[in-house]
Amino acid sequence: MVRKLKLSVRLFLFRLVNWVSRRFFASRLSFSHVEAFLFNNSFRKFINFLHAHYEKYLGKTEVKSFPYLFVFEVTNVCNLKCPFCLTGKGISGGRDVRHMSFDEAKKIIDQVGEYIYMMQLYTWGEPLLNKDIYRIIEYAKSKNIFVMISTNATMLNKVNSEKLVNSGIDYVMVAVDGGSNETYEKYRVGGNYEKVLENVKNLVNARRTLSKVHPFVEWQFIVFRHNEHEVKQVEAMCYEMGVNKFTPLPAYVEDESWLPVGDEYKVEVFNPERLMNCDRPWTHLNVRADDGVAPCCYEFKKEDDFGTLVDDAFRPIWNNHHFRTSRKLIVQKRKGLEVDKEDIICYECLTSGIRPSFIDSPVESSDTGLKIAIKNVG
């Protein structure tokens, strides 16, 4: 009875967080952000956090603060072919398709680590395909950084699950969009539902067996028309097996036939990002697997990068022409002014309301993408 009551309270709280996130934060409010702020803080980090938001409030284009959220793509390689994902379509965006080495990652972390609350080790690839992922996590944890990954769970066999738990990682999101083979494999092309379900159990069991509190495990479920009837069923299953949080998300779709019918998760085709509160050029550092510095996690093409971090120092990049211009345009948008036409991706994003990744997307075929040489694979 007590267990059921605790589960009911947890369900209510997480459903409330999910609703607030969708309603007010374009699904960008995450439990992990709160946890990172509470448990991976320091005096230096907190002062920098306040400084960054003060400079944003003042509309500073050249800043003295550091980013405190780090979106770090350790690989842009993936083993699935999700139909609405650029990587899944075999598109490279002009980048080398590769895994980032531990030495590269260490060099980057050393430049910004003392200011970073949270590091997301994923963007356009499956992070567990990188053999150095566990060392990278361990090194980030040595810097008191909250570390999270999002994984399709295809690599979470018993051995890898134990390695992941022992790495000290704080938060693992498993992306599983269905409650059956039929619904799951429609979007996660190349995956196997039964195997992935077993792998999620491997992770939960490894945490229990090793007597660890972390990682916090979140099951993310992208809601499409073909799987919306399974949301409640999968939610109940998740909590029964020991997953900490279940998060159904509105889908990004390019085909109306995929749109959910129910009002709760109904979106527009192409589901444009809400841009009025963009603060990324003040608060976020985004580094790609090829060392490129991107303005945000939606930027995909190499030509839109703002710099390259491994060979160059961080501070000059953070205040270079691209970043200063990006901040200027966001300030203009925020004040209701006409946005200057500038030759950076942020201009199109701010004026069109379309996710940057899908503005004038590359048209490489999937065959071309599959023939790209993958570098640093081991």
Side-chain angles (χ1 to χ4, degrees), residues 93-115:
R95 299 184 187 278
D96 289 336
V97 179
R98 68 193 298 272
H99 302 313
M100 180 174 283
S101 70
F102 171 75
D103 290 338
E104 289 175 291
K106 180 179 182 297
K107 187 180 293 187
I108 294 170
I109 293 170
D110 284 343
Q111 295 192 61
V112 297
E114 61 185 345
Y115 300 98

Side-chain angles (χ1 to χ4, degrees), residues 241-356:
M241 64 193 287
V243 170
N244 298 97
K245 183 175 185 289
F246 175 76
T247 304
L249 289 175
Y252 167 83
V253 300
E254 300 172 4
D255 183 336
E256 287 188 5
S257 67
W258 287 67
L259 290 175
V261 175
D263 291 336
E264 187 173 3
Y265 303 104
K266 187 174 290 184
V267 293
E268 302 171 31
V269 176
F270 292 104
N271 189 19
E273 180 76 358
R274 286 152 53 179
L275 304 168
M276 69 286 288
N277 293 317
C278 181
D279 61 2
R280 289 170 177 85
W282 288 272
T283 61
H284 288 57
L285 175 62
N286 290 266
V287 178
R288 294 289 185 260
D290 64 351
D291 309 325
V293 178
C296 71
C297 58
Y298 291 123
E299 185 257 60
F300 186 79
K301 293 186 286 185
K302 180 68 176 175
E303 66 185 47
D304 293 318
D305 281 354
F306 282 11
T308 303
L309 193 50
V310 164
D311 297 326
D312 298 320
F314 166 76
R315 176 58 72 180
I317 294 175
W318 193 232
N319 277 315
N320 67 15
H321 173 73
H322 291 321
F323 271 107
R324 294 197 313 272
T325 301
S326 175
R327 295 177 189 123
K328 178 192 74 171
L329 299 184
I330 291 171
V331 170
Q332 291 173 340
K333 178 76 172 180
R334 191 173 70 198
K335 292 182 176 180
L337 304 174
E338 183 178 352
V339 178
D340 293 344
K341 184 170 177 56
E342 299 281 0
D343 190 23
I344 61 171
I345 193 173
C346 303
Y347 172 78
E348 294 292 343
C349 184
L350 288 165
T351 56
S352 71
I354 300 174
R355 294 172 185 250

Side-chain angles (χ1 to χ4, degrees), residues 146-307:
F146 184 97
V147 181
M148 66 182 298
I149 64 168
S150 177
T151 173
N152 59 33
T154 58
M155 303 296 292
L156 283 174
N157 56 37
K158 290 183 179 180
V159 172
N160 288 342
S161 292
E162 289 187 4
K163 288 167 69 176
L164 191 59
V165 172
N166 282 324
S167 72
I169 193 167
D170 298 280
Y171 206 104
V172 177
M173 292 188 295
V174 293
V176 186
D177 319 308
S180 63
N181 278 307
E182 181 182 4
T183 55
Y184 167 78
E185 294 172 15
K186 182 175 177 64
Y187 185 70
R188 301 286 171 176
V189 178
N192 178 277
Y193 179 73
E194 297 299 332
K195 178 181 177 181
V196 165
L197 187 60
E198 186 63 30
N199 285 349
V200 176
K201 293 177 182 177
N202 287 336
L203 179 62
V204 173
N205 290 337
R207 182 182 61 185
R208 182 185 305 114
T209 301
L210 295 168
S211 301
K212 302 286 188 180
V213 175
H214 293 102
F216 187 99
V217 179
E218 175 181 348
W219 181 307
Q220 284 199 346
F221 184 112
I222 302 176
V223 183
F224 299 104
R225 182 175 301 181
H226 64 268
N227 64 12
E228 62 181 320
H229 65 285
E230 294 178 327
V231 171
K232 292 291 188 276
Q233 164 201 329
V234 174
E235 179 183 46
M237 178 187 68
C238 284
Y239 290 123
E240 184 65 30
M241 64 193 287
V243 170
N244 298 97
K245 183 175 185 289
F246 175 76
T247 304
L249 289 175
Y252 167 83
V253 300
E254 300 172 4
D255 183 336
E256 287 188 5
S257 67
W258 287 67
L259 290 175
V261 175
D263 291 336
E264 187 173 3
Y265 303 104
K266 187 174 290 184
V267 293
E268 302 171 31
V269 176
F270 292 104
N271 189 19
E273 180 76 358
R274 286 152 53 179
L275 304 168
M276 69 286 288
N277 293 317
C278 181
D279 61 2
R280 289 170 177 85
W282 288 272
T283 61
H284 288 57
L285 175 62
N286 290 266
V287 178
R288 294 289 185 260
D290 64 351
D291 309 325
V293 178
C296 71
C297 58
Y298 291 123
E299 185 257 60
F300 186 79
K301 293 186 286 185
K302 180 68 176 175
E303 66 185 47
D304 293 318
D305 281 354
F306 282 11

Side-chain angles (χ1 to χ4, degrees), residues 85-145:
C85 173
L86 294 175
T87 302
K89 295 176 182 179
I91 297 171
S92 71
R95 299 184 187 278
D96 289 336
V97 179
R98 68 193 298 272
H99 302 313
M100 180 174 283
S101 70
F102 171 75
D103 290 338
E104 289 175 291
K106 180 179 182 297
K107 187 180 293 187
I108 294 170
I109 293 170
D110 284 343
Q111 295 192 61
V112 297
E114 61 185 345
Y115 300 98
I116 299 296
Y117 280 104
M118 183 171 76
M119 181 181 296
Q120 299 175 202
L121 290 174
Y122 62 93
T123 309
W124 292 98
E126 167 50 49
L128 296 182
L129 292 173
N130 186 334
K131 64 182 178 61
D132 285 342
I133 185 67
Y134 309 103
R135 291 182 68 196
I136 294 171
I137 294 168
E138 290 169 0
Y139 189 71
K141 291 305 302 172
S142 75
K143 301 289 186 182
N144 189 32
I145 299 172

